[in-house]
Amino acid sequence: MAQQDRVGFIGLGNMGGRMARRLVDAGIAVCGYDTDAARASAAGAQPAATLRAAVESADVVLLSLPDSRVVEAVVEGPDGILAACRAGQVVVDLSTAAASSTRRLAGLFADRGVQFVDAGVSGGAAAAEQGKLTLMVGGDADTVRSLQWAFAPISSKVLHMGETGAGHATKLLNNFLNAISLAATAEVMVAGKKAGLDLHRLLDVLNSSSGVNFATLNRFPHIVDGNYLEGGLTSKLMTKDIVLYVDLVRELGVASLNASGPLASFGLATALGYGDQISNRVVDAIGDVSGGVRLKT
């Protein structure tokens, strides 16, 4: 594949819009489709009137959708990708999705001569904006290598994890650890606040000790000053990812002994009205049931 190949981008929300913009700025022709028609133009892409039009105009189709249920509807619907695709195309799913669903869809695409690649992304909105995402990719090795021109504008690291489904499985493992570290650190910071500790100094201790994690390093230095880093993964989506992780390990026959904590934390956040806000707001949910604590007062 050459860099002049055309991209159809389906799903131009918080992450997809930013990735599409990176491709456009790299000089790649992008035809975009979203249920919110204005998002294609906002990303700098050529708007497609229908999903079918975005697929038919493309050599490579990229998907950035909320979950497997939506991916399956977009792929298998009466006017979906399967109905519009042609032999020789490549479809890349950048969503967070169930590996079992991914493998099933790959079989349907293979029957039509289309390669299906799963590419979980990590780094959030900020990394998408800067083109510094980490991609965890599953699929045919030659096809993955042929996509480097499309991956380069959006990522700083591309890791081929194995056959179809391996990319999405890796993403779920990563997101589960992310959920645990965020929920546990939120609880610790609320406790630190109630203990009367200087929260900046507490973070200094954690970040030079065995409690260090992504949340202590990258999230809470901002949150304690009142900046929740808005625009990232919501508590509802975090809960969805944890459930997908639990489903995955159940399929693998692995005991899941640690999922109840983050499920309770982000479930609480949703129940208290923070579900559609960034998952970092879980610290406010824990604060609410701990006497109305806020880290920044």
Side-chain angles (χ1 to χ4, degrees):
M1 291 187 182
Q3 193 158 346
Q4 65 266 24
D5 285 350
R6 301 161 298 173
V7 168
F9 209 117
I10 313 300
L12 299 167
N14 189 46
M15 293 294 289
R18 287 173 165 85
M19 288 187 277
R21 169 60 71 179
R22 292 288 308 178
L23 296 172
V24 170
D25 288 348
I28 296 170
V30 178
C31 182
Y33 177 79
D34 192 278
T35 52
D36 181 348
R39 287 177 172 174
S41 296
Q46 176 67 36
T50 63
L51 189 154
R52 176 182 284 270
V55 175
E56 291 177 340
S57 69
D59 303 296
V60 174
V61 179
L62 304 182
L63 312 180
S64 182
L65 301 167
D67 54 33
S68 290
R69 178 185 58 83
V70 179
V71 172
E72 289 168 356
V74 166
V75 170
E76 299 180 273
D79 294 310
I81 297 174
L82 275 175
C85 66
R86 63 184 183 278
Q89 283 180 306
V90 179
V91 177
V92 182
D93 188 6
L94 300 157
S95 314
T96 301
S100 56
S101 173
T102 298
R103 289 190 293 269
R104 183 181 70 82
L105 294 179
L108 298 178
F109 278 114
D111 290 342
R112 294 174 178 262
V114 175
Q115 288 284 345
F116 189 56
V117 172
D118 51 299
V121 304
S122 184
E129 189 100 34
Q130 299 163 11
K132 295 182 179 179
L133 292 166
T134 294
L135 300 188
M136 305 152 241
V137 187
D140 174 73
D142 288 339
T143 302
V144 172
R145 279 192 291 271
S146 77
L147 290 166
Q148 293 308 306
W149 61 271
F151 291 157
I154 64 174
S155 65
S156 59
K157 182 174 288 189
V158 178
L159 299 168
H160 185 209
M161 301 305 298
E163 297 302 316
T164 303
H168 282 159
T170 303
K171 176 65 188 296
L172 294 178
L173 301 181
N174 175 78
N175 277 23
F176 180 60
L177 289 178
N178 176 44
I180 286 180
S181 65
L182 176 54
T185 304
E187 183 177 311
V188 163
M189 297 305 289
V190 170
K193 179 74 172 184
K194 293 201 77 171
L197 301 179
D198 180 300
L199 297 185
H200 287 287
R201 189 159 297 178
L202 175 58
L203 285 170
D204 284 343
V205 171
L206 297 175
N207 287 331
S208 57
S209 304
S210 56
V212 64
N213 61 68
F214 186 86
T216 64
L217 285 170
N218 298 290
R219 300 183 190 276
F220 280 90
H222 303 281
I223 294 170
V224 297
D225 289 328
N227 177 7
Y228 289 84
L229 306 171
E230 302 291 357
L233 191 71
T234 66
S235 284
K236 283 183 180 178
L237 290 176
M238 185 74 87
T239 302
K240 177 266 297 182
D241 288 358
I242 301 166
V243 171
L244 286 174
Y245 165 82
V246 172
D247 289 343
L248 172 65
V249 295
R250 184 183 67 244
E251 292 169 5
L252 296 172
V254 175
S256 181
L257 306 177
N258 296 288
S260 58
L263 275 175
S265 297
F266 295 104
L268 174 69
T270 297
L272 294 181
Y274 302 100
D276 293 321
Q277 298 182 52
I278 190 168
S279 53
N280 294 340
R281 291 277 180 178
V282 69
V283 70
D284 287 350
I286 294 171
D288 286 347
V289 297
S290 303
V293 176
R294 288 293 181 271
L295 301 189
K296 173 70 172 178
T297 55

